[in-house]
Amino acid sequence: MTELLDAAVDAARDEIVRVGTSLFDRGYVHASAGNISARIGDGHLITPTDAALGFLERDRLALVDAQGEQIAGDRASKTLTLHRRIYAADPTARFVVHTHSTHLVALTLAGVWSQDDVLPPITPYFVMKVGHVPLIPYHRPGDPRVADLVTARIADRQASHTPIRAVLLDRLGPVVWGPDAAAALAVLEELEETARLWLLTDRRPEPLTTDAIDELRATFGAAW
């Protein structure tokens, strides 16, 4: 069992470094903004506080146990509580990414579509791949109260059978999650691209019609 866990930790280290480099190279993160984590058994692996995601060192990633106590690596990101609460609230979540992506932060400054849906459903892939994304009111980076707000949103959407894959922190950017890194990145990329489209078109496009969204639900199982 220990060997299996060690192998899982090694694989997660490599994946987090790969994702951090990819996000940096493609302009989704800058400087030391953002953080990444993975769930491994009952514990978690997360980027260190103030780490530059484009230049992560695998052995310096913070490994924490089921109680959130650090057992290896540099000091864990100040958002550790938020990541751990997301994993606890959504059993399907295995990978969490937080960035300060330019167009999504700009969206919070310019004004979101609504508090429950930061963007309207203007493209089919936004509806299918992203879904509802609520706005979380501004709190300082690392404020533990944010975790309460995010998990409340997760619970509300689970109860309405429209589970969410992301939230948008006011002035700080998106937090996305999924069953693996690829799924989480797909949500982040589609979310940021939709924000860019919405801002580039001066927020004029009409949402997809109810009939169009119903067709996406029936054909692809879209959770909207």
Side-chain angles (χ1 to χ4, degrees):
M1 181 63 73
T2 300
E3 290 180 359
L4 290 175
L5 183 58
D6 289 344
V9 170
D10 284 342
R13 289 185 189 280
D14 291 340
E15 189 75 323
I16 288 175
V17 171
R18 182 189 68 80
V19 168
T21 301
S22 175
L23 290 172
F24 179 81
D25 288 347
R26 293 182 294 143
Y28 285 91
V29 296
H30 60 276
S32 60
N35 35 76
I36 306 168
S37 72
R39 180 162 61 180
I40 307 160
D42 293 330
H44 306 90
L45 193 66
I46 190 168
T47 49
T49 188
D50 295 327
L53 297 190
F55 304 92
L56 295 171
E57 298 177 43
R58 65 186 309 282
D59 292 333
R60 299 183 68 175
L61 299 178
L63 181 64
V64 301
D65 63 17
Q67 287 71 47
E69 297 296 323
Q70 189 156 339
I71 55 180
D74 290 353
R75 184 161 60 93
S77 167
K78 54 185 168 289
T79 61
L80 173 62
T81 297
L82 173 58
H83 286 243
R84 293 182 66 235
R85 293 283 299 279
I86 289 172
Y87 289 123
D90 185 348
T92 69
R94 306 291 302 182
F95 206 88
V96 175
V97 180
H98 168 51
T99 71
H100 294 197
S101 302
T102 302
H103 294 93
L104 284 162
V105 175
L107 178 66
T108 70
L109 300 175
V112 299
W113 191 51
S114 77
Q115 300 295 303
D116 293 328
D117 286 295
V118 298
L119 288 161
I122 56 174
T123 71
Y125 274 86
F126 178 74
V127 172
M128 293 187 292
K129 302 298 184 181
V130 180
H132 298 282
V133 181
L135 180 70
I136 304 301
Y138 176 78
H139 291 75
R140 66 159 175 81
D143 190 325
R145 290 175 294 179
V146 171
D148 292 333
L149 297 173
V150 172
T151 54
R153 286 292 197 165
I154 292 173
D156 287 346
R157 281 297 178 183
Q158 288 172 339
S160 64
H161 305 291
T162 52
I164 56 174
R165 307 176 181 97
V167 297
L168 183 58
L169 308 183
D170 189 22
R171 298 174 183 259
L172 288 172
V175 182
V176 306
W177 56 91
D180 52 38
L185 285 178
V187 174
L188 173 65
E189 292 161 9
E190 194 68 38
L191 180 56
E192 170 69 1
E193 181 65 14
T194 307
R196 187 170 78 94
L197 290 171
W198 182 237
L199 293 171
L200 282 173
T201 54
D202 294 327
R203 299 185 288 179
R204 290 194 306 266
E206 291 294 322
L208 291 170
T209 65
T210 300
D211 287 345
I213 292 176
D214 285 343
E215 185 179 21
L216 294 174
R217 289 193 188 104
T219 306
F220 302 107
W224 187 277

